[in-house]
Every structure is written in C-alpha cells, then in structure tokens.
Amino acid sequence: LRTAYNNLEVVVTMNGFGDCGTMEDEKRIVYMKEYTNNILKAISDGCNVKGYYYWPLADTWEWDNGYGPKEGLFNVDYRDDDRPRYPRASVNFYRRLIQDRGFDTTAVRDYHAYPVDRDEFLYDTFPSGFMWGAATSAYQVEGAWNTDGKGPSIWDTFCHTTDKVYGGMTGDVACDSYHHINDDVRIAKELGLKHYRFSIAWSRVLPDGTRGSLNQRGVDYYNNLINALLAENIQPMVTL
C-alpha cells in the first residue's frame, strides 16, 4: 500500500482471533501482541497506519458457524437472557497496550515475553493520536430482528432457512446489543477504547428498502448509541 498507492492512510478495522472461549485467552493475547507489534514495525518503516480496531468487542454470532467461535475480548453468557458480558484476560492486555501506547513498558513486555536471543519485537510506542478501537457488525450483535419496525434482512431470511447455519443458530437475539447500549458502551469505556466501529442495519432504518419506509425507531437506536459513545469520549466509526 505504501509503494503502490502513494502511502495512503490505513486503519485496520477488523482483526481478531477465535479460540476455545476460555477466560484466560493466552493465545489471543499472543496473537494481538504480535499483530500490533507488526503494525508498529510498519509505522517505523514509514507506512501511514493510523489505527487498529480489535474485532469483536464481545462474543458474536459468527455467520454459518453460529455461536461456536469465541472471538470477543468480552465473554457473553448466551445461557442468560440478559446476555451479561465478562472480561477475558485479553481485556487487561489490550487496556494496558492502549494506556501505554505501545510496547516500551515493562508491563506490556511481561505479557508472554520471548527469550532475548529470539526476541524480534520492536519495543517502542505508537504515534500520538493513534486510533485504538474495537469493532462490531449489526446482524452479529444487535438481535431484535423483528423489533420496533425492523424489516427482514437477507441474513434473517437465510438463517431462518432449514440447514443453512450450524445447529440452526440465528442472530435473532445474538448478544442483544439493541437492548444493551449502556452495557456495550460501559465495557468499551472499561477497555479504554477511543474509537468504536459499528455498522447500520439498513433493514432497521429502511424496513422495505425504500426511503418512504424510514423507521424513526431504528434511527433513534443508532442516534442513542452514538450519543452514548460521545458522552464517554469514544469516537464512533460508522460503516454501512
């Protein structure tokens, strides 16, 4: 990108690691440490990388794999109708990485440190203003598939078709972010995020796909989410 596209600005907005779902997610920590350190190396080589968003903030419905993969920094208890969120060990690592702005501190170095003779890490800090964030996607987290005037999406239709998704799992409820704005903003703040990427479900805003079907309750949901983020000094990044 640096050489072929005149070093355009890059923000990594979707990067994550799935594991067995334990709360002590050491493999995820190792992955995050190595990936973000390689971003730092790219910056030191002159690449114009402006930010990194871990995907996803909390466990989500993972397409045709249903709720099998556990990719979130926060564990979601899908057995509980309230969908409580609990921090995995990776939350502590990512919070410290954001706080220290890189790897030039003992606290961050101590996470799975390598022997000196094969340590290829760059122990340095990210530029001031580097965008640290996390990301989600509408169908995978919102739930409320037919609530407050929302129309069916192609994923609603696909997942309600027999034998299309593992175990017949759907995103009808997911981690129910539609009803848990405050919980999601709370854990984003707890993590120390400065940015939060989310997507808009057009079937919630325009239920039949036309401008004439504008659904104000859907618009209100996204406005409420944006306002809650801004109130905690977290910058929204909206994708369509």
Side-chain angles (χ1 to χ4, degrees):
L1 292 176
R2 183 183 65 184
T3 57
Y5 295 96
N6 197 29
N7 206 18
L8 50 72
E9 292 187 358
V10 174
V11 179
V12 179
T13 66
M14 188 171 180
N15 175 259
F17 182 88
D19 68 4
C20 61
T22 62
M23 301 305 287
E24 298 298 325
D25 51 345
E26 295 183 1
K27 291 182 179 180
R28 178 176 291 113
I29 292 171
V30 171
Y31 174 82
M32 293 174 68
K33 182 178 179 181
E34 293 181 348
Y35 194 97
T36 54
N37 195 257
N38 275 287
I39 290 178
L40 184 57
K41 289 178 180 179
I43 293 172
S44 70
D45 287 339
C47 296
N48 198 13
V49 187
K50 295 297 187 180
Y52 170 81
Y53 294 15
Y54 181 85
W55 163 277
L57 176 61
D59 289 340
T60 69
W61 180 87
E62 290 296 333
W63 308 116
D64 55 350
N65 292 312
Y67 296 103
K70 304 296 183 182
E71 299 189 7
L73 297 169
F74 287 82
N75 167 264
V76 177
D77 186 354
Y78 287 103
R79 299 167 299 180
D80 188 324
D81 289 343
D82 288 334
R83 300 297 197 268
R85 287 94 157 118
Y86 301 104
R88 292 191 167 100
S90 53
V91 166
N92 294 325
F93 168 74
Y94 195 33
R95 182 194 297 118
R96 194 60 193 248
L97 181 63
I98 294 171
Q99 178 182 323
D100 293 346
R101 222 179 75 223
F103 299 88
D104 196 24
T105 66
T106 300
V108 174
R109 292 188 192 200
D110 285 347
Y111 278 94
H112 304 279
Y114 293 95
V116 175
D117 63 346
R118 64 182 185 90
D119 191 344
E120 298 180 354
F121 270 73
L122 173 61
Y123 291 105
D124 203 347
T125 55
F126 285 82
S128 176
F130 189 81
M131 296 183 290
W132 296 104
T136 59
S137 182
Y139 183 80
Q140 293 176 267
V141 299
E142 286 181 5
W145 78 278
N146 62 351
T147 299
D148 289 343
K150 179 183 176 295
S153 68
I154 56 173
W155 273 104
D156 290 319
T157 302
F158 182 84
C159 295
H160 292 161
T161 303
T162 303
D163 295 331
K164 291 295 186 180
V165 178
Y166 174 77
M169 299 176 182
T170 73
D172 288 359
V173 180
C175 59
D176 203 19
S177 285
Y178 186 81
H179 295 111
H180 290 274
I181 288 177
N182 291 337
D183 289 329
D184 286 344
V185 174
R186 173 184 57 79
I187 63 176
K189 181 181 179 182
E190 177 183 333
L191 185 54
L193 298 183
K194 306 302 181 185
H195 297 260
Y196 179 72
R197 195 210 81 179
F198 66 94
S199 64
I200 290 176
W202 283 112
S203 54
R204 195 177 298 284
V205 176
L206 302 172
D208 71 4
T210 66
R211 286 182 292 180
S213 67
L214 180 66
N215 177 26
Q216 188 59 47
R217 288 174 292 183
V219 174
D220 290 343
Y221 164 68
Y222 293 111
N223 279 335
N224 290 337
L225 173 58
I226 290 170
N227 290 336
L229 290 166
L230 292 175
E232 298 296 347
N233 295 314
I234 300 171
Q235 184 66 38
M237 173 184 276
V238 181
T239 61
L240 306 180

